[in-house]
Amino acid sequence: MKENIQEIGFFDIVKERRSVRIFDQETPFDHQSVQKCLEAAILAPNSSNMQLWEFYRIPETSALKNPISRLCMNQKAATTARELVVVVTRRDKWKSRAAANLSYIRETYKNSPGKKQKQAEAYYGNLVPKLYSKYPLWSITKQVIAWVMSLKRPMVREVTESDVRVSVHKSAALAAMTFMYAMKAEGYDTCPMEGFDSVRVKKLLNLPKDSEINMIIGCGKGLPEGVYGKRFRLPNEEVIFKV
Ligand SMILES: Cc1cc2nc3c(=O)[nH]c(=O)nc-3n(C[C@H](O)[C@H](O)[C@H](O)COP(=O)(O)O)c2cc1C
């Protein structure tokens, strides 16, 4: 019975979440909820647990709120947001994040080193550097190696630099989604945005060249007129297949 109650709660949140473009300016907004929901978001699954993401909170009181809203092409979802969250990918941080995983694993298994530790050492010490290192022609070399290996057995094909980039964005987007559901559970609304000037946003946030903006999320209490129409989705049969 308890399971049922939890299930209803989750599905209500999924159904009720909408991208809301106009946020209420009057009622108090609890900025602590953003912090709480981001702390939930980082529990999202992410590739190799490398957590190659960062989240920049820009509350309405921040000196950056208006400039960033402008860089979101002045979308109302940004200008009326009580807080903006910029989701950033940090592919460039792979070395320190792999090292953090390695030292966690060493600490965990320090009294009982064995197969698991060896596997993790090989994963973060060998495989991850192979995938994430950047050298001239490395992308094409990896692709050829993967292709040769695939002749004998199933092989992961997504090994190029652009594949790594996609992978890092996938993980960031999953965290962003977790954040938006958590905000809905807190009684707040959100709007994910990809309509922004990424070059200028990066400059404003002082982000390095190799980082990327995954999305910017407007947060607040949505107004009814902020929901632009009834929700439309394709018929289930067009997108869900049982094979
Ligand atoms: C990656 C991504 C980028 C988006 N960018 C924008 C945006 O720049 N501006 C906007 O108003 N909505 C944006 N949206 C919201 C979508 O338009 C919205 O999710 C879609 O129309 C479905 O509506 P719903 O979220 O209310 O179910 C974006 C959504 C996603 C997932």
Side-chain angles (χ1 to χ4, degrees):
M1 198 60 199
K2 190 161 175 263
E3 270 169 26
N4 244 352
I5 290 164
Q6 283 175 348
E7 200 171 302
I8 290 164
F10 176 73
F11 284 99
D12 282 344
I13 286 165
V14 173
K15 283 185 186 137
E16 283 171 22
R17 183 214 58 82
R18 295 295 314 273
S19 294
V20 178
R21 277 76 179 211
I22 306 173
F23 298 103
D24 183 10
Q25 304 299 297
E26 305 302 327
T27 51
F29 177 76
D30 184 1
H31 292 271
Q32 270 310 313
S33 287
V34 175
Q35 181 67 27
K36 176 179 169 187
C37 294
L38 284 173
E39 288 174 14
I42 62 173
L43 301 181
N46 65 95
S47 185
S48 301
N49 201 24
M50 297 241 278
Q51 304 159 60
L52 296 169
W53 55 37
E54 284 174 349
F55 307 90
Y56 290 81
R57 294 184 53 197
I58 305 167
E60 53 204 333
T61 48
S62 164
L64 293 186
K65 171 64 175 46
N66 285 340
I68 300 237
S69 300
R70 265 201 303 282
L71 296 180
C72 291
M73 319 320 254
N74 266 327
Q75 296 189 56
K76 279 207 171 85
T79 57
T80 67
R82 307 295 296 273
E83 180 156 342
L84 292 169
V85 172
V86 184
V87 182
V88 176
T89 64
R90 292 303 303 263
R91 183 225 177 284
D92 56 312
K93 288 202 161 179
W94 73 267
K95 267 188 196 164
S96 63
R97 303 290 165 91
N101 273 282
L102 258 180
S103 61
Y104 170 75
I105 285 153
R106 282 174 190 153
E107 181 60 28
T108 307
Y109 294 108
K110 71 175 180 227
N111 295 325
S112 56
K115 202 175 158 204
K116 268 198 176 150
Q117 184 183 346
K118 265 199 174 148
Q119 280 172 343
E121 296 266 355
Y123 188 79
Y124 289 107
N126 189 16
L127 191 69
V128 163
K130 280 203 174 88
L131 196 58
Y132 280 80
S133 290
K134 275 186 178 179
Y135 311 111
L137 299 179
W138 185 228
S139 228
I140 184 85
T141 308
K142 281 189 291 185
Q143 216 170 15
V144 171
I145 293 169
W147 179 76
V148 171
M149 289 173 82
S150 76
L151 296 175
K152 286 204 178 143
R153 59 181 173 86
M155 179 64 200
V156 173
R157 315 294 177 121
E158 287 72 28
V159 293
T160 66
E161 187 46 39
S162 58
D163 294 328
V164 171
R165 184 175 165 258
V166 169
S167 163
V168 176
H169 275 280
K170 278 187 215 172
S171 296
L174 289 175
M177 187 71 257
T178 305
F179 169 71
M180 291 188 279
Y181 282 143
M183 285 293 281
K184 192 73 215 171
E186 283 284 282
Y188 288 121
D189 299 289
T190 52
C191 184
M193 288 175 276
E194 58 189 352
F196 51 78
D197 181 332
S198 60
V199 173
R200 288 191 165 90
V201 173
K202 274 170 68 174
K203 219 172 178 177
L204 260 186
L205 293 177
N206 249 326
L207 290 167
K209 192 176 132 282
D210 273 358
S211 65
E212 291 188 43
I213 314 289
N214 174 257
M215 64 180 90
I216 300 180
I217 303 172
C219 309
K221 186 94 193 152
L223 290 176
E225 60 270 32
V227 179
Y228 294 171
K230 274 175 80 175
R231 184 176 245 167
F232 163 71
R233 287 298 190 266
L234 295 165
N236 293 336
E237 317 79 73
E238 279 195 40
V239 292
I240 304 173
F241 306 98
K242 190 174 180 187
V243 293

